[in-house]
């Protein structure tokens, strides 16, 4: 049997390509243009494995166009771009990159939280636009973070990394999650499990860290925003679609909540341009995991997952073990 072919759908780091090239023929994407479905299907038709990104829709039509495909290795922990059932039905192993991005993503969630509380991007715009004429007592006065109540919706690995950082700010930490954490973990995080309504009504900062699925689609909409305190802030480092962006824009415009900080958007990279007219929102383009070291580690882990699958091994981060049946 000849060397397998790995298609890498987006630009990655040279050492990641070098590792793949030790074991496979590699078709890469140095221009980093996101591939339209037809172009992706065309490339995938020759592939034994795909190293792909959340910008690639891996659905049954794509799989049908890729008869040799044995593995789809997503460079992301989130995998809502992959139809896992379709992969399983076709015996294609799907993997993600859990663990390697937790701390970096938690760091950035804090950057957003602090940024919106202390009006950092608004202040920078003010200064850059030449509007600063001198010190004023109430100038760009924001909200205190220390001593406030942080409510984390989704207490997986990243949620817990965010909670650990809260002790430095002497915050009161609430969380809600499908399943309650074991008591020793709760104690080590000094976090209290509450229902979602209590969290929304109590928290000064509501931070979303849940995966996107039909169950979390518009988890935060008009009703949930109405439950939040008018002084509270919403931070979304999870996925677009977890928040109803139109409802959020209405709440921000009417000052029904104090502000929001968003790294993800419904329909990204397109997003509702009305966000741009609001001063009480901090916006970033889905970069929470984007430190050089972490993005490299994610791509490297995806490559290792793909190579393990091609060797006939069970990849370390297999999402659909049922696909192993009948291999
Ligand atoms: C993830 O890993 O799911 C991140 O959103 C990618 O940036």
């Amino acid at each position: 049997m000849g060397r397998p072919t790995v298609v890498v759908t987006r630009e990655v780091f040279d050492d990641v390509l070098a590792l793949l090239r030790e074991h496979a023929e590699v078709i890469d994407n140095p221009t980093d243009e996101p591939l339209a479905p037809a172009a992706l299907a065309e490339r995938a038709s020759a592939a034994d494995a795909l190293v792909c990104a959340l910008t690639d829709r891996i659905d049954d039509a794509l799989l049908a166009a890729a008869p040799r495909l044995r593995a789809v290795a997503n460079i992301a922990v989130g995998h809502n771009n992959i139809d896992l059932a379709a992969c399983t039905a076709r015996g294609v192993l799907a993997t993600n990159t859990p663990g390697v991005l937790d701390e970096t993503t938690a760091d950035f969630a804090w950057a957003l939280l602090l940024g919106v509380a202390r009006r950092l991007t608004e202040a920078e715009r003010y200064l850059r636009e030449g509007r600063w004429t001198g010190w004023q007592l109430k100038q760009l006065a924001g909200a205190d973070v220390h001593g406030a109540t942080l409510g984390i919706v989704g207490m997986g690995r990243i949620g817990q990394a965010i909670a650990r950082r809260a002790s430095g700010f002497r915050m009161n930490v609430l969380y809600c999650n499908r399943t309650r954490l074991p008591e020793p973990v709760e104690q080590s995080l000094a976090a209290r499990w509450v229902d979602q309504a209590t969290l929304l009504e109590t928290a000064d900062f509501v931070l979303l860290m849940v995966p996107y699925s039909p169950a979390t689609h518009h988890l935060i909409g008009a009703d949930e925003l109405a439950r939040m305190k008018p002084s509270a802030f919403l931070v979304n480092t999870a996925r677009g679609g977890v928040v109803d962006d139109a409802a959020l824009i209405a709440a921000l415009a009417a000052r029904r909540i104090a502000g929001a900080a968003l790294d993800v958007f419904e329909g990204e990279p397109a997003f509702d341009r009305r966000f741009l007219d609001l001063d009480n929102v901090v916006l970033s383009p889905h970069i929470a995991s984007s430190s050089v070291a972490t993005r490299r580690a994610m791509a490297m882990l995806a490559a290792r997952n793909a190579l393990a699958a091609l060797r006939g091994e069970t990849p370390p981060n297999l999402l659909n073990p049922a696909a192993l049946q009948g291999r």
Side-chain angles (χ1 to χ4, degrees), residues 54 75-79 97 101 237-239 264 286 288-289 295 298:
L54 50 84
I75 309 176
V77 65
H79 49 82
T97 61
L101 49 78
T237 39
R239 272 289 183 273
V264 287
H286 203 145
S289 64
R295 286 284 167 92
M298 290 164 66

Side-chain angles (χ1 to χ4, degrees), residues 218-271:
H218 287 187
L219 183 72
I220 302 296
D223 292 348
E224 291 73 23
L225 292 162
R227 279 186 186 273
M228 288 173 61
K229 300 194 282 195
S231 55
F233 299 87
L234 182 73
V235 181
N236 187 7
T237 39
R239 272 289 183 273
V242 171
V243 175
D244 177 344
D245 282 354
L248 176 59
I249 286 167
L252 289 168
R255 303 269 163 180
R256 282 202 298 280
I257 65 169
L262 309 170
D263 187 47
V264 287
F265 303 87
E266 284 193 282
E268 65 184 48
F271 64 94

